[in-house]
Amino acid sequence: MLQAFSIWLFCIRLSLTMPSLVMESQPELWIESNYPQAPWENITLWCRSPSQISSRFLLLKDKTEMTWISPSFKTFQVSFPIGPLTESNTGLYRCCYWKETGWSKPSKVLELEAPGQLPKPIFWIQAETPPLSGCNVNIFCHGWLQDLVFMLFKEGYAEPVEYQVPTGTMAIFSIDNLTPENEGVYICRTHIQMLPTLWSEPSNPLKLVVAGLYPKPTLTAYPGHIMAPGEDLSLGCQGPIYGMAFALMKLEDLEKSFYHKKSIKNEAYFFFHSLKIHDAGHYVCFYYDGSYRGSLLSDILEIWVTDTFPKTWLLAQPSPVVHTGQNVSLQCRGPIDGVGLALYKKGEDKPLQLLDSASINGNKSFILNNVTRSDAGIYNCHYLLTWKTSIRIASHHTMELVVVDKPPKPSLSASSSTMYKLGEAISLQCRVSHPVLEFCLEWEEKAAFQKFSVNGDSIISNVEGKGTGTYSCSYRREAHPNIWGLQRIEPLKLMRPAGLHTWNYVLNEALRLSLIMQLVALLVILLWVRWKCQRLRIREAWLLGTAQGVTMLFIVTALLCCAISLAGLCNGVLTEETEIIMPTPKPELWAETNFPLAPWKNLTLWCRSPSGSTKEFVLLKDGTGWIATRPASEQVRAAFPLGALTQSHTGSYHCHSWEEMAVSEPSEALELVGTDILPKPVLSASPPIRGQELQIQCKGWLAGLGFALYKEGEQEPVQQLGAVGREAFFTIRRMEEKDEGNYSCRTHTERHPFKWSEPSEPLELVIKEMYPKPFFKTWHSPVVTPGARVTFNCSTPQQHMSFILYKDGSEIASSDRSWASPGASSAHFLIISVGIGDGGNYSCRYYDFAVWSEPSDAVELVVTEFYPKPSLLAQPGPVVLPGEDVTLHCQGAFQDMRFALLREGTQVPLQFQSVSGNSADFLLHTINTEDSGNYSCIYYETTMSNRGSYLSMPLMIWVTDTFPKPSLFAEPSSVVPMGESVTLWCQGPVHGVGYILHKEGEAASAQLWGSTSNDGAFSITSMSGASTGRYSCCYHPEWTSPIKIQPSNTLELIVTGLLPKPNLLAQPGPMVAPGENMTLQCKGELPDSTFVLLKEGTQEPLGQQKPSGYRADFWMPVVQSEDSGIYSCVYYLDSAPFAASNHSDSLQIWVTDKPPKPSLSAWPSTVFKLGKDITLQCRGPLPGVEFVLEHEGEEAPQQFSEDGDFVINNVEGKGIGNYSCSYRLQASPDIWSEPSDPLELVGAAGPAAQECTVGNIVRSSLIVVVVIALGVVLAIEWKKWPRLRTRGSETDGRDHTIALEECNQEEEPDTTTNSPSSASRDISVELPVQL
């Protein structure tokens, strides 16, 4: 019973979807051999991690460590060469890989038996759903080797029920539409295709049981599903049928956690005494009868055993920063489901809101409607249990809700026009009516595009048409410097220029105009024929003329369309471009060995593709025969182990890479010529040019070899190079006639006695007469991101030339000569969207009928965003005196890369360096002030399509004799209550430099280096009297430098709460018109104090006074709307002990011609119900006001109220209509506010609604009648359209006319008579027509 159900439940576990249940994946272990008919002759074990790269892999044999491999770089898979299988190699093998937390779970067990036998396969079942009748089940058989035949056997059958020949190491047998007949015991076996008599041992048997014959039970926990260790728990499983046996399972450990119980009636209880931590998990239950026919599984019940509740956290939607009057949803998130939740606010003991477990239903949100400033604060949420438990409630993550006033919306405009002009840029200006800390410009078509500006001006260029699109801007205020986008503008669209890219525009406009003209012409002809049909008869000649006229009209419009197109083309600047259809990148093939002095003892071929979309690699030998296929790893490469070389391995190898829809070109051929001879190298060179340097490349396939270059006719090598990698470059400094001839190269092992390769194929070097090399460049930077547009320009002063574009020495595109335009020749080669594999060294040549040019200088196209970004540091520092040197150190993540230094504003990289390590130093010699700017660097590999890294973070280099002045400010304010925390920020434009904080009157200084995470932040956790005083800061470089250092501004830090609070009054009142004067009076309790005026949202005080009495008057002349806000004041003693008062009560100041308009709402709704009244609530932001309600259509005000509530009834339907309200200040009864937005009250479906419905029906019926009448009129007119008839001639029968009946008259059937000709000659009758 247990065995049968354990297999069934294992299938269920694989198919259950449980987001909280994370199963650790095992590594994969398999066998590869270069003897397909006798794999035991040479065995290599491969281990692959399932989801992450690793630095170490471990091979276990018989549960003991056998060996481990630490590759030179992190990878997904490694190989363990075993060699020939002997008795000493047999056993049980498993592998592990190293994770951050230790060794991973071992792989499945691979059993290697005696030589001459195949490994025993492993067997398991996976179901898409629980194995119910009618569902699908997959049976997996893993045979460890590739290209085996897999047989599936069922108990009771002599022949296999199914067999497969997969390309990998595993076969999948599918059973569709599962029925009870599919139940039984299954096994699988394998054998080699060419040796059908050589079988593996049978796999372990598996029993398949069909479930789901009974309804599923319910599983509940008592007292609850969250308990503390040591407490007791009871799980009850209840079904609808009596007398069944019940089973309980823990999904994390089916083998050990499988419990059975006899039922009590129709339920069973499973008791857990003194719970342990390992009892936590996901449980399900089912029941079955005496024939082992089971029910469906119950729903999954998660049991928590913990002594502390897991932490919860809050998320605010739409944002933790909201405007007053807005609704906000606080979503409580946590790992535990099925329990209630409570919302708390800091400073309040009781929960604000409660959610029980029954009402949640997946929505764990607390709603705060119409928030005000009192709702701002720190919130958290707790779990709410309905049963007793000793679990402790830990600290919870908090969320701060910020409630701010709605700021004004910014405006975005273009400096001159929103239409680009050729070669010009557009300045976008973002403006707002109050002080702003910083603006941000965003581009909707590119999410990563952001431009920051202090003054709101941003320059947008239209390089290659990429500046067009929709822009918007946002800003952040000093009150909330970390919050962006409180208000967004209406987007501004920049249009495409009528210059470089006007081809599609001109064609579209021409086609559109042509279509309009043709439609107008057809309409005119139809109207004219209609008019003619009513006036006179038209003969055949006229009909022919009309047809010719229509034809000519269409011809004329077509010619006009072409003329317009040509005119548009002449006005624009159109350049003929050749689009480059990039072939699938050619892969690279090389060899590796762990025997450097005798590589043929164990050789592995590697194939790597420059394209990131490669799915699979194929290795071929001698141009035919598919040796093997391998999936691509994370490094886009694959290994093909050959083992010890034999005569059967000799031949020419190359590999292909398979993309999504294409196969690449073959790699360069690697030729293996013998069992103890190195692979034959390949020799190549560019065309030699007289008097110039020539580099000859010798590719040797293996790393760590020596290279020798030979010339035909000479015994000794002309040049030799040591171990420099897999390839070497021989240089001829100045190419002359004496250097012509046939060359070859050989490779050899590094140490004596040398083992040599066969000579390469000969390379003939001949100097030919050539044109000068062309000028070759990219229109923009050769360092591009994937998806960018790249245009190569190849030009020469020669006329009528054809051009060839090369990538890494291979021709990829051509452009034929043009005889139409005299003058210099040029060609543009276009890559519309650059891919990862499109990088490389590009060059071009031109030619006429017989003579070629020299190759152009190469352009290194680097495609970034493939490798991690490097780091860039300045030595000795980023601030340098003019005339000195600075070294920029670029640190990458990989070795043997090429580094490039870039500067913002320049298209071409400043410097290149190829290094063997993982870093490069760029020296900037004797720099001047014009060298100041942002620098960055990248690194890229030169062997595979110049795949590059992300750009480093920009580093600003300052060339000056004085450090720029930093700024010091306090956050949240420089006036801080006693005991609160404050952060002093010292920040400036120079990064990577330390800071020093000075306090007036103290010799010691607080120091903070710039390398910390909070750059320039000095925190005071608890304000006290000792913290008050005047502060300043300055830069403190880590290096010795004579550069002058300037101190920052002085900041006075004040601690409040030690003196009684003052009173703050406004004269003449809290509301004044713009342009008037205002005085804020702050009155304290002590004479000769210093008074400070504060405004909410600003960090620095607005004013500071030291009067001789008890009161300070802060005069505010010519106030504007931005002076509106909430003000307060404090006073303090400017000598020891520097005591300060509490804040005064807040005073709201309004600078406006009219008070802000109020809001009007209806309760309970805006629809009258029978016998019910509606209360209109008018609310405004100012106290001490009187409200008035107005009804549209009535001249006198409706009602007056001091609290803003108005009761409206609907007697005789007079209550419906539009309402608005306003208010006036009781202190200034002549000043009224703006009216509120109108609010409409409507009636329910009573007599008035019925009358309205009847009116609508009458109107709709009238419309239908009119439409039908128009249809009838049109039908009559259609029948009256002229009909054509042919009449016989009265003279000789040869003259025929076409009689056209009048369109507005009907025929009279009684007026027909026979003509004489019809009576004598039996000719058809003609009907007379009235004129």
Side-chain angles (χ1 to χ4, degrees):
M1 165 63 197
L2 178 59
Q3 182 181 2
F5 274 108
S6 65
I7 296 173
W8 167 51
L9 294 170
F10 178 71
C11 307
I12 298 172
R13 178 177 64 175
L14 293 176
S15 63
L16 288 174
T17 56
M18 299 177 296
S20 59
L21 180 59
V22 179
M23 306 295 293
E24 180 184 3
S25 300
Q26 294 176 301
E28 181 184 359
L29 182 66
W30 74 93
I31 301 173
E32 290 187 359
S33 175
N34 51 354
Y35 293 91
Q37 298 185 10
W40 49 86
E41 294 292 339
N42 187 20
I43 286 180
T44 300
L45 299 185
W46 282 84
C47 183
R48 177 164 55 199
S49 62
S51 60
Q52 60 185 6
I53 59 177
S54 179
S55 59
R56 282 189 288 174
F57 290 82
L58 175 66
L59 183 65
L60 304 171
K61 179 188 176 187
D62 297 330
K63 298 184 179 180
T64 60
E65 179 179 343
M66 180 179 177
T67 182
W68 63 276
I69 290 180
S70 179
S72 58
F73 53 87
K74 291 186 176 182
T75 181
F76 277 92
Q77 60 186 25
V78 296
S79 61
F80 297 90
I82 302 297
L85 183 62
T86 61
E87 292 294 339
S88 61
N89 293 334
T90 59
L92 304 177
Y93 288 84
R94 295 179 298 170
C95 74
C96 306
Y97 64 94
W98 182 258
K99 304 188 301 181
E100 294 180 356
T101 57
W103 289 106
S104 69
K105 185 177 180 181
S107 66
K108 297 182 184 296
V109 178
L110 166 62
E111 184 176 359
L112 293 181
E113 298 181 339
Q117 296 184 9
L118 295 178
K120 180 180 178 180
I122 58 174
F123 200 33
W124 72 95
I125 300 177
Q126 178 177 344
E128 299 175 0
T129 60
L132 310 175
S133 180
C135 295
N136 301 329
V137 172
N138 292 328
I139 302 178
F140 293 81
C141 185
H142 195 296
W144 307 108
L145 276 164
Q146 293 187 352
D147 304 327
L148 295 178
V149 179
F150 291 78
M151 297 285 188
L152 179 65
F153 293 88
K154 183 180 180 182
E155 186 180 24
Y157 293 85
E159 298 296 328
V161 295
E162 190 178 349
Y163 74 94
Q164 289 187 12
V165 187
T167 57
T169 60
M170 185 171 60
I172 303 175
F173 301 98
S174 298
I175 301 178
D176 299 329
N177 194 18
L178 192 67
T179 62
E181 287 77 15
N182 298 124
E183 289 184 326
V185 178
Y186 291 84
I187 62 171
C188 85
R189 298 184 69 181
T190 62
H191 71 79
I192 298 177
Q193 296 186 39
M194 306 304 295
L195 296 175
T197 59
L198 182 59
W199 288 82
S200 69
E201 289 292 321
S203 66
N204 294 328
L206 292 180
K207 186 174 182 179
L208 181 63
V209 178
V210 180
L213 301 181
Y214 298 112
K216 69 179 180 181
T218 57
L219 182 62
T220 54
Y222 302 97
H225 65 284
I226 307 174
M227 305 297 292
E231 296 179 339
D232 296 337
L233 175 68
S234 175
L235 298 182
C237 185
Q238 184 178 18
I241 304 175
Y242 283 70
M244 293 288 187
F246 285 81
L248 178 71
M249 300 167 299
K250 181 183 176 184
L251 298 180
E252 286 80 358
D253 192 359
L254 291 176
E255 298 294 335
K256 298 180 180 179
S257 303
F258 195 91
Y259 313 97
H260 294 272
K261 275 272 181 133
K262 291 294 183 181
S263 64
I264 303 174
K265 295 183 180 180
N266 63 334
E267 59 184 358
Y269 291 91
F270 301 88
F271 297 97
F272 293 84
H273 298 286
S274 185
L275 285 169
K276 304 294 189 299
I277 296 294
H278 60 76
D279 292 325
H282 299 79
Y283 288 82
V284 293
C285 73
F286 66 97
Y287 58 91
Y288 55 93
D289 57 18
S291 299
Y292 299 143
R293 300 288 180 169
S295 70
L296 292 171
L297 292 176
S298 68
D299 295 330
I300 299 173
L301 178 63
E302 184 176 8
I303 300 298
W304 290 77
V305 182
T306 177
D307 54 358
T308 304
F309 273 109
K311 289 185 177 182
T312 57
W313 62 94
L314 281 173
L315 295 177
Q317 296 292 338
S319 169
V321 181
V322 294
H323 304 143
T324 54
Q326 190 176 353
N327 298 336
V328 63
S329 172
L330 303 182
Q331 299 178 358
C332 185
R333 301 289 182 87
I336 301 180
D337 295 324
V339 295
L341 297 170
L343 178 66
Y344 289 85
K345 183 180 178 183
K346 185 177 180 180
E348 300 185 11
D349 297 332
K350 295 183 179 180
L352 299 182
Q353 296 184 31
L354 299 175
L355 293 175
D356 57 15
S357 58
S359 62
I360 290 179
N361 292 329
N363 183 16
K364 303 178 181 179
S365 299
F366 301 95
I367 306 300
L368 301 180
N369 294 317
N370 196 18
V371 296
T372 61
R373 289 189 174 272
S374 61
D375 294 320
I378 299 175
Y379 291 81
N380 60 47
C381 64
H382 296 179
Y383 289 114
L384 186 64
L385 302 184
T386 57
W387 62 90
K388 293 184 179 180
T389 179
S390 60
I391 302 176
R392 300 191 308 272
I393 297 179
S395 60
H396 295 74
H397 296 291
T398 60
M399 188 276 303
E400 183 177 4
L401 182 65
V402 180
V403 182
V404 298
D405 293 331
K406 191 172 183 179
K409 182 182 294 187
S411 63
L412 183 64
S413 60
S415 57
S416 57
S417 170
T418 57
M419 177 69 73
Y420 278 106
K421 295 182 180 179
L422 187 60
E424 296 184 0
I426 290 180
S427 174
L428 297 184
Q429 301 171 346
C430 188
R431 297 291 184 264
V432 72
S433 59
H434 63 79
V436 170
L437 188 61
E438 192 175 18
F439 291 91
C440 177
L441 182 69
E442 298 178 356
W443 188 12
E444 290 186 4
E445 284 77 8
K446 190 173 183 180
F449 177 88
Q450 284 186 332
K451 278 196 173 185
F452 298 94
S453 172
V454 176
N455 58 4
D457 294 344
S458 302
I459 305 298
I460 306 297
S461 60
N462 191 40
V463 178
E464 296 185 0
K466 292 183 179 179
T468 60
T470 304
Y471 291 83
S472 61
C473 77
S474 58
Y475 63 90
R476 58 175 179 167
R477 298 185 298 173
E478 295 181 356
H480 306 284
N482 298 322
I483 301 171
W484 286 92
L486 294 177
Q487 280 289 324
R488 292 186 179 272
I489 62 163
E490 295 297 328
L492 180 68
K493 190 170 185 180
L494 300 185
M495 305 300 292
R496 184 178 298 275
L500 183 61
H501 300 283
T502 57
W503 177 261
N504 291 333
Y505 174 78
V506 171
L507 290 182
N508 291 335
E509 289 297 317
L511 292 176
R512 185 171 63 88
L513 184 60
S514 173
L515 179 62
I516 293 175
M517 292 182 64
Q518 293 183 26
L519 291 177
V520 171
L522 286 175
L523 181 61
V524 171
I525 291 173
L526 291 177
L527 293 176
W528 184 75
V529 171
R530 172 71 176 174
W531 175 72
K532 280 294 185 182
C533 125
Q534 296 178 357
R535 300 284 300 176
L536 47 84
R537 296 181 179 180
I538 307 171
R539 293 187 177 274
E540 182 179 4
W542 177 90
L543 184 61
L544 180 60
T546 302
Q548 293 175 349
V550 173
T551 304
M552 290 302 297
L553 182 61
F554 277 97
I555 293 175
V556 170
T557 56
L559 292 176
L560 183 60
C561 172
C562 294
I564 294 174
S565 300
L566 291 175
L569 296 179
C570 294
N571 292 333
V573 181
L574 296 179
T575 303
E576 182 179 356
E577 296 175 331
T578 301
E579 181 180 352
I580 304 173
I581 307 300
M582 299 297 294
T584 303
K586 179 190 298 185
E588 179 190 10
L589 182 65
W590 76 96
E592 291 185 1
T593 181
N594 51 357
F595 295 93
L597 300 182
W600 49 86
K601 289 186 177 181
N602 187 15
L603 204 64
T604 299
L605 301 186
W606 284 86
C607 188
R608 179 171 62 173
S609 171
S611 173
S613 59
T614 297
K615 304 298 182 184
E616 197 171 26
F617 292 93
V618 181
L619 181 67
L620 284 80
K621 177 185 176 186
D622 297 329
T624 61
W626 296 63
I627 300 301
T629 61
R630 294 287 184 272
S633 65
E634 180 69 18
Q635 289 80 23
V636 201
R637 64 181 190 173
F640 299 89
L642 299 183
L645 294 187
T646 63
Q647 288 298 329
S648 61
H649 291 114
T650 60
S652 180
Y653 292 81
H654 60 269
C655 68
H656 292 269
S657 62
W658 282 5
E659 308 293 325
E660 193 70 35
M661 298 295 293
V663 179
S664 72
E665 299 178 11
S667 66
E668 295 184 13
L670 187 155
E671 189 170 354
L672 299 179
V673 294
T675 57
D676 59 350
I677 303 177
L678 297 178
K680 180 187 292 187
V682 175
L683 192 64
S684 62
S686 59
I689 303 172
R690 188 189 311 275
Q692 295 191 9
E693 181 180 278
L694 177 66
Q695 283 196 337
I696 306 174
Q697 180 189 27
C698 182
K699 188 171 184 180
W701 308 108
L702 273 166
L705 296 180
F707 294 83
L709 179 66
Y710 292 85
K711 183 179 180 182
E712 187 178 13
E714 299 183 16
Q715 296 294 330
E716 297 298 325
V718 295
Q719 292 187 37
Q720 282 188 290
L721 295 173
V724 291
R726 291 196 297 268
E727 58 186 8
F729 291 91
F730 300 99
T731 302
I732 299 177
R733 297 297 180 186
R734 183 179 178 85
M735 191 70 187
E736 302 293 348
E737 282 80 1
K738 62 182 178 63
D739 298 318
E740 294 181 331
N742 291 324
Y743 289 81
S744 63
C745 73
R746 298 180 67 185
T747 61
H748 61 82
T749 54
E750 186 177 1
R751 298 179 184 175
H752 288 281
F754 290 154
K755 295 293 183 180
W756 289 84
S757 69
E758 287 287 320
S760 67
E761 295 296 330
L763 174 67
E764 184 180 10
L765 297 181
V766 179
I767 300 176
K768 297 180 180 180
E769 295 301 326
M770 294 184 178
Y771 288 124
K773 64 182 179 182
F775 180 71
F776 186 57
K777 67 173 183 177
T778 59
W779 278 3
H780 303 288
S781 174
V783 179
V784 296
T785 58
R789 176 189 176 108
V790 175
T791 302
F792 296 99
N793 181 16
C794 187
S795 60
T796 175
Q798 306 292 331
Q799 296 185 16
H800 312 308
M801 291 293 173
S802 298
F803 293 86
I804 302 291
L805 181 68
Y806 299 89
K807 176 178 181 270
D808 298 326
S810 300
E811 178 184 339
I812 60 172
S814 63
S815 176
D816 292 335
R817 63 178 63 87
S818 175
W819 297 90
S821 56
S825 298
S826 65
H828 297 157
F829 299 95
L830 171 66
I831 303 177
I832 294 180
S833 179
V834 170
I836 288 295
D838 293 337
N841 296 325
Y842 288 80
S843 61
C844 75
R845 298 178 70 183
Y846 63 90
Y847 64 96
D848 56 11
F849 295 102
V851 182
W852 285 74
S853 73
E854 301 175 13
S856 68
D857 295 332
V859 172
E860 296 184 54
L861 182 65
V862 181
V863 183
T864 61
E865 301 184 1
F866 186 80
Y867 291 109
K869 67 181 177 181
S871 60
L872 185 63
L873 299 176
Q875 297 172 351
V879 183
V880 190
L881 283 172
E884 292 191 351
D885 299 341
V886 63
T887 300
L888 301 183
H889 179 77
C890 185
Q891 179 72 43
F894 298 95
Q895 295 184 349
D896 300 325
M897 292 286 182
R898 184 168 171 84
F899 288 77
L901 179 67
L902 301 95
R903 179 185 171 189
E904 185 178 355
T906 59
Q907 295 183 357
V908 181
L910 301 181
Q911 298 181 31
F912 291 93
Q913 278 194 33
S914 296
V915 296
S916 58
N918 60 353
S919 64
D921 292 330
F922 298 98
L923 176 63
L924 301 181
H925 183 66
T926 316
I927 59 177
N928 297 313
T929 54
E930 59 267 15
D931 295 319
S932 299
N934 284 317
Y935 290 79
S936 59
C937 71
I938 60 168
Y939 61 91
Y940 59 96
E941 55 180 346
T942 58
T943 57
M944 298 299 294
S945 295
N946 290 4
R947 296 183 301 192
S949 66
Y950 285 82
L951 266 72
S952 67
M953 294 294 294
L955 175 64
M956 183 66 187
I957 299 297
W958 297 81
V959 184
T960 178
D961 57 356
T962 304
F963 270 94
K965 186 176 181 179
S967 62
L968 181 64
F969 61 92
E971 191 178 47
S973 175
S974 59
V975 180
V976 189
M978 175 70 72
E980 296 291 331
S981 61
V982 65
T983 301
L984 302 183
W985 287 92
C986 184
Q987 292 185 341
V990 181
H991 298 285
V993 183
Y995 298 90
I996 291 182
L997 182 67
H998 298 275
K999 182 180 179 183
E1000 186 178 297
E1002 293 185 6
S1005 300
Q1007 178 175 312
L1008 182 69
W1009 297 104
S1011 57
T1012 59
S1013 58
N1014 298 322
D1015 195 6
F1018 300 87
S1019 298
I1020 301 176
T1021 56
S1022 180
M1023 286 294 295
S1024 62
S1027 303
T1028 60
R1030 296 180 177 87
Y1031 290 84
S1032 64
C1033 71
C1034 63
Y1035 288 110
H1036 185 75
E1038 302 177 18
W1039 66 95
T1040 303
S1041 175
I1043 302 176
K1044 300 178 183 178
I1045 298 177
Q1046 303 181 78
S1048 69
N1049 56 294
T1050 302
L1051 176 70
E1052 188 167 6
L1053 198 60
I1054 302 172
V1055 182
T1056 64
L1058 301 177
L1059 299 177
K1061 68 179 181 181
N1063 294 324
L1064 183 63
L1065 299 175
Q1067 296 294 337
M1071 187 181 70
V1072 294
E1076 294 185 0
N1077 301 330
M1078 172 181 282
T1079 301
L1080 298 182
Q1081 298 177 347
C1082 184
K1083 184 177 182 181
E1085 299 291 336
L1086 296 177
D1088 302 327
S1089 300
T1090 300
F1091 290 81
V1092 176
L1093 180 65
L1094 306 171
K1095 182 182 178 183
E1096 186 175 309
T1098 59
Q1099 296 176 345
E1100 301 299 326
L1102 297 183
Q1104 188 170 340
Q1105 290 187 19
K1106 186 178 180 181
S1108 58
Y1110 292 87
R1111 191 184 74 186
D1113 294 337
F1114 296 95
W1115 185 53
M1116 301 175 64
V1118 193
V1119 294
Q1120 301 298 329
S1121 58
E1122 56 266 22
D1123 294 322
S1124 300
I1126 299 176
Y1127 290 78
S1128 62
C1129 70
V1130 297
Y1131 64 95
Y1132 66 96
L1133 303 177
D1134 56 358
S1135 59
F1138 299 102
S1141 69
N1142 284 316
H1143 286 260
S1144 67
D1145 293 333
S1146 298
L1147 178 62
Q1148 179 79 48
I1149 300 298
W1150 298 90
V1151 181
T1152 177
D1153 292 328
K1154 288 187 176 182
K1157 67 179 180 181
S1159 62
L1160 184 62
S1161 60
W1163 188 90
S1165 68
T1166 58
V1167 180
F1168 280 105
K1169 296 183 180 179
L1170 188 60
K1172 301 292 185 179
D1173 296 336
I1174 291 179
T1175 299
L1176 296 184
Q1177 300 173 340
C1178 187
R1179 298 292 183 262
L1182 297 180
V1185 297
E1186 183 182 21
F1187 296 91
V1188 62
L1189 180 69
E1190 297 180 356
H1191 188 191
E1192 185 177 320
E1194 298 183 7
E1195 296 182 358
Q1198 182 78 6
Q1199 298 181 32
F1200 291 88
S1201 172
E1202 292 186 357
D1203 58 0
D1205 293 343
F1206 303 93
V1207 178
I1208 307 298
N1209 54 46
N1210 193 32
V1211 178
E1212 296 181 357
K1214 294 183 179 179
I1216 61 175
N1218 291 323
Y1219 289 83
S1220 62
C1221 70
S1222 55
Y1223 63 91
R1224 62 180 176 181
L1225 299 176
Q1226 294 178 353
S1228 303
D1230 296 333
I1231 301 178
W1232 286 90
S1233 72
E1234 298 180 4
S1236 66
D1237 294 332
L1239 178 69
E1240 184 179 8
L1241 301 185
V1242 298
Q1250 185 175 2
E1251 180 181 355
C1252 179
T1253 303
V1254 171
N1256 290 335
I1257 294 175
V1258 172
R1259 296 184 186 95
S1260 301
S1261 302
L1262 182 59
I1263 292 173
V1264 171
V1265 170
V1266 171
V1267 170
I1268 294 175
L1270 289 175
V1272 172
V1273 171
L1274 290 176
I1276 294 173
E1277 288 295 320
W1278 177 259
K1279 292 183 65 177
K1280 289 182 179 181
W1281 190 259
R1283 294 187 295 272
L1284 299 178
R1285 297 200 177 190
T1286 305
R1287 302 182 57 183
S1289 176
E1290 296 182 358
T1291 56
D1292 55 359
R1294 291 174 297 176
D1295 185 15
H1296 295 280
T1297 61
I1298 300 176
L1300 195 63
E1301 294 181 328
E1302 286 199 1
C1303 301
N1304 298 326
Q1305 298 182 4
E1306 296 290 340
E1307 296 181 3
E1308 297 182 6
D1310 297 331
T1311 60
T1312 61
T1313 58
N1314 294 336
S1315 66
S1317 60
S1318 65
S1320 59
R1321 301 181 184 180
D1322 196 16
I1323 300 177
S1324 60
V1325 179
E1326 177 185 286
L1327 297 178
V1329 179
Q1330 297 180 1
L1331 298 178

